[in-house]
Amino acid sequence: MTATRFDLSPQYDPHAVERPLYRRWVERGVFTARVDSPKPPYVIVIPPPNVTAVLHMGQGLNNVTQDVLIRFERMRGREALWLPGTDHAGIATQNVVERIIATEGKSRFDLGREAFVARVWAFVKETGATILEQLKVIGASCDWTRTRFTLDPAYSRAVRDVFVTLWEEGLIYRGHRVIHWCPRCLTALSDEEAESKDIDGKLYFIRYHVEGGPKPYLTVATTRPETMLGDTAVAVNPKDPRHRGFVGKVARVPIIDLPVPIIADEAVEPGFGTGFVKVTPAHDATDFEIGLRHKLEMPLVMTEDGRMEHPTRVPKTLADLDRFDAREKIVDMLKERGLLEKVEPHRHAVRHCYRCDTVVEPRLSDQWFVKMKPLAQPALEAYRTGAIRLVPERWGATYEHWMENIRDWNISRQLWWGHRIPVFTCTKCVPPRQWADREDPKACPECGGPVEQDPDVLDTWFSSWLWPFATLGWPDETPDLKRFYPGHTLVTAPEILFFWVARMIMAGYHFRADRPFATVYLHGTVRDTQHRKMSKSLGNGIDPLDVVGKFGADALRWTTIAGVSLGSDLILDPNDLETTFAPGRNFANKLWNIGRFILAQLPERVQSISNLDPSRLALADRWILGQAYKTIVAATEHLEAFRLDEAAKTCFEFAWSDLADWYVEAVKPRLAAAASPSAAAQRAPAASGDAAAAQAVLVFCFDTVLRLLHPVVPFITEELWQKLPGRQPEDLLAVAAWPTVPAALPKLRADFEFARVQEAISKIRAIRAEYRVAPKTRVAATIKPRTELIRAAFDGERDTIVRLAQLSELQFDGGLRGTGAHAVLADGSEVFVALSDAIDVQQECRRLSGELTRLEQQLAGLAAKLTNQQFVARAPAEVVAKEREKERAWRDQRQVLADKLKSLGCS
RNA sequence: GGGCGAAUAGCUCAGUUGGUUCAGAGCGCCUGCCUUACACGCAGGAAGUCGGGGGUUCGAAUCCCUCUUCGCCCACCA
């Protein structure tokens, strides 16, 4: 009696199941980590997306990866916490809102600071949760009860505490130096925020008149003629023999005819350009250093937004011109005066603002800095001792290099959106008293005078670097903090290794005296087929939600996991979503239909395989169980090693190639026989394997593979798993146990025999193609096993073979005549194929003995190596040990082969 | 200028410590099938001297050297 207990459509419809399932997971609280749970914790903190962000494929890859790991560990019995949230993203968010008010014809200065910040808050409150909602669509199993925002009051308190603590430790200082300045965002940037890009520029060779020198003029080479107006010296290398006579003389800056000294400084590279360098201390970091050494004047000749301006140095014709317009104009003026010697094309690195891509202007200013060396030391140590591991390892070198050469961090931003710097100045005290404070002071504690707060805000990364503990309630010793710090895995892109990851590690050790996580998994970048990074500006992006709409969330997840190996880039074709995402959709559909078939075959009650008498297992049963166990082991190992693609593919193969293509087809005759006993009675009785056993095995295998696949494709697996027999309404796959292999694994020993069955069937199927046999032709064939082993295998599988042969459009009648297959062709002629080849013992003997021979050769080679004194003496001990281990393994293998040959009766 | 990575079938990529199962997968292509789970499917098939060259080894897609091409990161030659 086959009760069709579920009426399922032939095609899986992701849209019908995804949202309701997600709601159930959330309602049942399966994503919520419990503080009082006895389970060992497993913690991932999300790389918080910008509040204004909308989901793109890069975040899709990032978050699906995290979700796979967190779901895996949750099923393995860990108290899994995936902590979500968003970043206020200072410049980025301020830019977005500024653009919006620009459409109203206003600037932030029109609104004023308070009103502008209120406006940003309103914007954030309105649209800020967009990306988090989108994460739910792709199935992210975040603990939404713990969602955080880097500008939450509690979080802000942590940021402020950190600032004041560093201040108290003397690690924060006011620096007067040349920093990266974005003339569009009107703020300072850190070194990391000013990205180098190679630009095809020009090198201008400009003559400066010299008074009383060996020659009447000298020539400097510069890529930025406009900075000439800020020159306060010309420098040469003291060791440069060509220009010795010039040092101490005076050069005249063209156009403004300003006298500047010619000085000697080691920083000048004699090999570059002419050996003469114009020195502009206020607009170049190197020149600033030279300026310090030679006590030069340091005039700024540009406004904050990059226009030329200086009371004496900028002539009227150039005043107020944008720096690039000024460059052209100055070049023209030099040409007119015959002072432009030549212009050469010159490719060089130019810093750009990482938020708006504007060319950064080096600018002398006062900023707050953090001394990084003391913080970097433990973070470097942690990596070297293995307390923190990078995956893939190759990033370790980059990390070490950055840490070793770390530079102080400019943390002040001339923005309004962000954490206001808690530095206060008394305007009454003399000298002015300045201090950092955890609370807003109402008056100067010294003199009771009025107090002013620093107008700037902190770098957005100055709050994100606290993410792993500030989200858990730090600086208070909350239960969450005690339980969920330190965390375990951080999943992110290498781009923010320095911005974020390295700094989190430093903060973790400095403020918690412990690592924030043990493993940093660095995944690749999402690119198009031309290997260009997907981006809005290039228009080569793929909208993950569009993909979910077309193919389902599982399809999106499948491609991002199965399509990318550890640490490599994910190449997707935005112009062909079908090719890119259909495999996942097709696989989900395959699972759906396997489920549909199995469910239709099941009686009310299905036995558990653990209660099944092993003697009731047919060859195919034993084989598929063996495959299932292998898959459990492989998938688990791969996930543990972050080989997510391998884990996914292993399960895919088991589900599709083993379970669906072979096993399901193989048990159909048995199931059919059980369904109609009268028909079965006419058949030869099966040697072993009854329908109930097949049902038990089917359920076990399907249940197992659904569990294994759940982290990757949670929706389809949950939907099907709940339909399996014996499920209670409250059962959820999301918190079901991860499969394990029984400690006492039953001896299945079916590989060899079933491989012979598969081989025989392939042989029969091949008849069609080879002889162009018309479909449905009846083929008579006899499989003539020559050993007991194979005979036993085939006797039990006669129905199976008939059935499987049918899949190639052949009517194979179980084999009665002759020793081969024989088919009647369309024209009435007959063909005959010797099927015995497929299972020919002699052939098998030849194959096996060939293998044995090769193995013997290998063993001989290895033995030679191992007896070679030089090798043993010089190779590292572990290599030698490994070779010995290999030798042992091969000897075992040799024994296995020999046994097989013996059992086949080969000579 | 330094460092790192990649190059395998038409496309996108696997291939873990060199060794039977290694030359693979998905898509695409060719042939035939609506076989009562699935045409988002089934069966069969074609297709690669593993970027070039050299080396180590009994044995190399895998290790070493070198060249070519592409990509990334870092760097104050203006």
Side-chain angles (χ1 to χ4, degrees), chain A residues 717-794:
Chain A
T717 49
E718 179 78 77
E719 180 70 13
L720 289 168
W721 190 80
Q722 291 182 4
K723 296 185 194 303
L724 289 177
R727 290 286 126 75
Q728 302 303 312
E730 66 272 18
D731 289 343
L732 286 173
L733 176 56
V735 283
W738 188 253
T740 52
V741 173
L745 194 59
K747 283 213 159 62
L748 298 164
R749 299 172 59 98
D751 283 8
F752 176 75
E753 293 88 334
F754 198 76
R756 298 287 81 73
V757 172
Q758 290 176 311
E759 212 175 319
I761 289 160
S762 297
K763 206 79 185 175
I764 295 166
R765 286 171 175 171
I767 293 171
R768 275 214 59 232
E770 201 175 329
Y771 291 91
R772 307 198 155 276
V773 177
K776 304 277 190 314
T777 304
R778 206 162 179 77
V779 176
T782 293
I783 295 166
K784 197 175 173 193
R786 299 200 184 168
T787 68
E788 269 315 306
L789 188 68
I790 295 172
R791 185 193 311 281
F794 281 11

Side-chain angles (χ1 to χ4, degrees), chain A residues 17-31 67 71 82 132-144 557 714-715 718:
Chain A
V17 309
E18 286 176 0
R19 278 176 188 275
L21 271 184
Y22 195 89
R23 204 174 312 126
R24 272 185 67 195
W25 286 329
V26 172
E27 279 165 8
R28 292 283 312 285
V30 298
F31 303 158
D67 198 40
R71 283 180 184 270
W82 183 12
L132 299 183
E133 289 306 313
Q134 293 174 324
L135 287 180
K136 296 175 184 174
V137 174
I138 63 170
S141 62
C142 302
D143 183 349
W144 301 111
R557 297 171 62 108
F715 292 107
E718 179 78 77

Side-chain angles (χ1 to χ4, degrees), chain A residues 236-296:
Chain A
V236 297
N237 188 298
K239 295 200 183 88
D240 194 334
R242 298 173 296 172
H243 306 321
R244 223 160 246 163
F246 284 96
V247 177
K249 302 291 187 283
V250 170
R252 300 197 81 92
V253 179
I255 297 175
I256 50 175
D257 196 36
L258 205 70
V260 295
I262 301 172
I263 57 176
D265 196 283
E266 298 279 353
V268 179
E269 197 70 44
F272 186 87
T274 60
F276 286 109
V277 178
K278 56 188 276 312
V279 181
T280 320
H283 290 281
D284 184 283
T286 311
D287 291 4
F288 172 74
E289 298 295 327
I290 296 175
L292 280 184
R293 284 194 285 273
H294 298 268
K295 301 197 165 47
L296 299 174

Side-chain angles (χ1 to χ4, degrees), chain A residues 461-493:
Chain A
W461 301 99
F462 192 86
S463 58
S464 350
W465 76 325
L466 314 176
W467 190 248
F469 51 86
T471 49
L472 296 171
W474 188 90
D476 295 335
E477 282 295 324
T478 60
D480 265 16
L481 184 65
K482 283 184 198 142
R483 179 135 176 80
F484 298 118
Y485 193 93
H488 300 84
T489 310
L490 182 82
V491 179
T492 192

